[in-house]
Amino acid sequence: QVQLVESGGGSVQAGGSLRLSCAASEYTYSRYCMGWFRQAPGKAREGVAALDTDGSTSYADSVKGRFTISQDNAKNTLYLQMNSLKPEDTAMYYCAAKLGGGYCYTYSPQGYFGYWGLGTQVTVSS
């Protein structure tokens, strides 16, 4: 089973940028739907961005135009480039994988994603 390890979180001022990375223990390209999720204190975990096996992407409305999900197949690494960060982006960010493609959206049931990392904290100050 694939193991996922996130990195790249940190503290940044509003308007700044961060790039999160998710290193997978095996080749994920065209095999797994990959997603980024986040959970702020006191709030439910929500989908942020998803990347399907055919390369199609899905974004939450709150991050469209600011965040970009991508994958380096040679490195088995998923990225989330986050620009124009806002204080409301403050959360623990998780990488997740769903074996197989299809129905790979930010609003897909989180139970479909069978593999999760431990998360990386992002804090945006105003």
Side-chain angles (χ1 to χ4, degrees), residues 7-13 18 20 82 85 90-91 120-125:
S7 62
S11 297
V12 65
Q13 289 191 328
L18 283 174
L20 305 184
M82 306 186 295
L85 282 161
T90 294
T120 185
Q121 177 67 38
V122 171
T123 302
V124 184
S125 58

Side-chain angles (χ1 to χ4, degrees), residues 62-80:
S62 59
V63 307
K64 279 181 182 176
R66 301 189 297 123
F67 289 12
T68 303
I69 188 171
S70 63
Q71 186 166 256
D72 184 329
N73 302 325
K75 296 181 179 179
N76 294 338
T77 300
L78 182 74
Y79 300 103
L80 184 68

Side-chain angles (χ1 to χ4, degrees), residues 20-41:
L20 305 184
S21 299
C22 171
S25 60
E26 63 182 63
Y27 193 66
T28 57
Y29 177 67
S30 77
R31 300 181 64 228
Y32 290 86
C33 153
M34 303 297 294
W36 285 101
F37 295 79
R38 68 185 181 187
Q39 186 168 22

Side-chain angles (χ1 to χ4, degrees), residues 54-65:
D54 63 358
S56 58
T57 58
S58 170
Y59 295 95
D61 288 343
S62 59
V63 307
K64 279 181 182 176

Side-chain angles (χ1 to χ4, degrees), residues 78-118:
L78 182 74
Y79 300 103
L80 184 68
Q81 178 67 44
M82 306 186 295
N83 299 328
S84 303
L85 282 161
K86 305 175 180 180
E88 51 263 44
D89 294 319
T90 294
M92 183 72 79
Y93 282 72
Y94 299 91
C95 171
K98 176 178 80 72
L99 184 62
Y103 203 62
C104 182
Y105 306 106
T106 55
Y107 53 81
S108 298
Q110 294 182 23
Y112 284 12
F113 291 83
Y115 308 96
W116 293 81
L118 296 180

